[in-house]
Amino acid sequence: MQLNKLKETDWDMLVSWWDAWPNWQAPPKRILPDNGTGGFVVEHEGEFIVAGFLYFTNSESCLIEWIISNPNYKHRENRKTAIKHLITSIEEVAKSQGATWVFNTLQHPSLIKTHEELGYTKDPKPSYELSKNL
């Protein structure tokens, strides 16, 4: 599995992935790091499997967000491996840039489980994502 930096030409692919999953909507590029190129995609045997974005802050913390997978990718075990590869690779990029703490917000149960398998701590009390268009 290979980690690639997202390129401008990957945008339409990502939108098609978000649009294909139920209850998902593509975020506007302008709210993503580097206008939609501030993330990574995992490729295996010429097929893109999963992508996600890395937000840096003005502190030693960062966020991994907007993880999305190719809805047409059929190899379930490879998908899980690709998701783990994406998360751990993004962690390494963050660490190399001085981050010492990473967090994200998640809703999907299997994605939460994958994070827990990678050593993330899930707060036992539910919290809510609040957002506002300015």
Side-chain angles (χ1 to χ4, degrees), residues 48-99:
F48 291 129
I49 304 171
V50 63
F53 291 85
L54 176 60
Y55 289 85
F56 286 99
T57 69
N58 62 353
S59 68
E60 291 184 10
S61 65
C62 63
L63 293 86
I64 299 173
E65 287 293 343
W66 297 103
I67 294 175
I68 187 72
S69 66
N70 179 348
N72 299 315
Y73 190 76
K74 302 300 180 201
H75 305 286
R76 187 177 182 90
E77 282 307 310
N78 276 359
R79 181 191 306 269
K80 185 167 180 127
T81 300
I83 291 170
K84 286 183 174 183
H85 181 63
L86 175 73
I87 295 166
T88 57
S89 296
I90 290 177
E91 290 171 356
E92 287 303 314
V93 170
K95 193 174 178 180
S96 74
Q97 297 296 312

Side-chain angles (χ1 to χ4, degrees), residues 110-124:
S110 68
L111 196 52
I112 292 169
K113 184 176 184 232
T114 299
H115 278 77
E116 289 176 315
E117 290 170 1
L118 293 172
Y120 283 71
T121 302
K122 181 176 82 173
D123 190 326

Side-chain angles (χ1 to χ4, degrees), residues 30-43:
R30 68 185 181 277
I31 70 162
L32 296 170
D34 298 327
N35 200 39
T37 61
F40 302 88
V41 62
V42 174
E43 177 185 0

